[in-house]
Each structure stands twice: as structure tokens, then as C-alpha cells.
Amino acid sequence: VQLVESGGGLVQAGGSLRLSCVASGNTLSINAMGWYRQAPGKQREVVAFVISGGGSVTYRESVKGRFTISRDSAKSVMYLQMNSLKPEDTAVYYCYVEAHRTDYWGQGTQVTVSS
């Protein structure tokens, strides 16, 4: 499975961005997917996570009510809609999928929120 993210950029606090992650390869074997982020000097952390097949969706506490993860299965695209962005959301965002008991990561897209 190959993943390519897009949609990052510079936005003012309170603004919105939508990240996209296009998956290719054996996407039918994807069991779980999500978005992670890593700020400078910090560990990578989960932002939103969903189990395929109607499983539960989990959001990081700090993004609940502001971020929404979704998927267009027909197009093999995963999205992260980010609203009411805050400077502390600044990070490199990575999409993630688990398939064949293997973790796959995208290359990352930078999100910078100015105050």
C-alpha cells in the first residue's frame, strides 16, 4: 500500500484545512487507518483513528469537535477536515493504514498555524 498526502499549508488561527491521503495498491486489505502528527521536538501522536468496516472512530482529546476523519472508499481517499485550527496544531501530519498486519505511512504534509 502506498500513501500520498496533500493539503497542508499555512493558515491563521481559527482557519480550516482539509488534508487528503490517496491510497494505492492492495487497499481492500486495509483494516485500520488514521492520521498522526509530529511537532518539532515531540513524539508522533495519533490525531484520529478508525477501524474499517464500520468500526469506532477515536479522536485525540485536543481535536474533538474540531477535526473530522472521513473516507471515500470508492476513490481510496482518506480525509482530515481541520477546523478552528490553533497554533498548537502546527506539525507534520502523516496518514497511516494497517494492512496485512503491516503499518504503512505517508510522507507527511506540513501544517503551520499562525497566531
Side-chain angles (χ1 to χ4, degrees):
V1 178
Q2 295 78 45
L3 304 172
V4 178
E5 301 113 333
S6 62
L10 173 64
V11 64
Q12 289 187 335
S16 298
L17 284 174
R18 188 177 78 159
L19 305 183
S20 300
C21 175
V22 179
S24 60
N26 192 357
T27 59
L28 294 178
S29 297
I30 292 175
N31 299 312
M33 64 198 76
W35 289 92
Y36 286 70
R37 67 187 182 188
Q38 187 167 19
K42 295 186 177 181
Q43 291 187 334
R44 190 172 297 187
E45 60 186 24
V46 62
V47 175
F49 195 84
V50 59
I51 305 296
S52 297
S56 61
V57 179
T58 302
Y59 291 96
R60 187 171 197 81
E61 189 65 34
S62 61
V63 308
K64 284 182 180 179
R66 301 188 296 122
F67 291 12
T68 303
I69 186 173
S70 62
R71 181 187 183 188
D72 184 337
S73 298
K75 298 180 179 179
S76 296
V77 182
M78 180 172 62
Y79 302 100
L80 183 68
Q81 178 66 44
M82 305 185 294
N83 299 327
S84 301
L85 282 160
K86 303 176 181 180
E88 51 263 43
D89 296 318
T90 295
V92 177
Y93 283 70
Y94 299 89
C95 68
Y96 159 90
V97 301
E98 183 273 311
H100 311 290
R101 299 183 180 180
T102 301
D103 297 334
Y104 297 91
W105 296 91
Q107 82 284 0
T109 185
Q110 176 70 47
V111 172
T112 303
V113 184
S114 63
S115 57

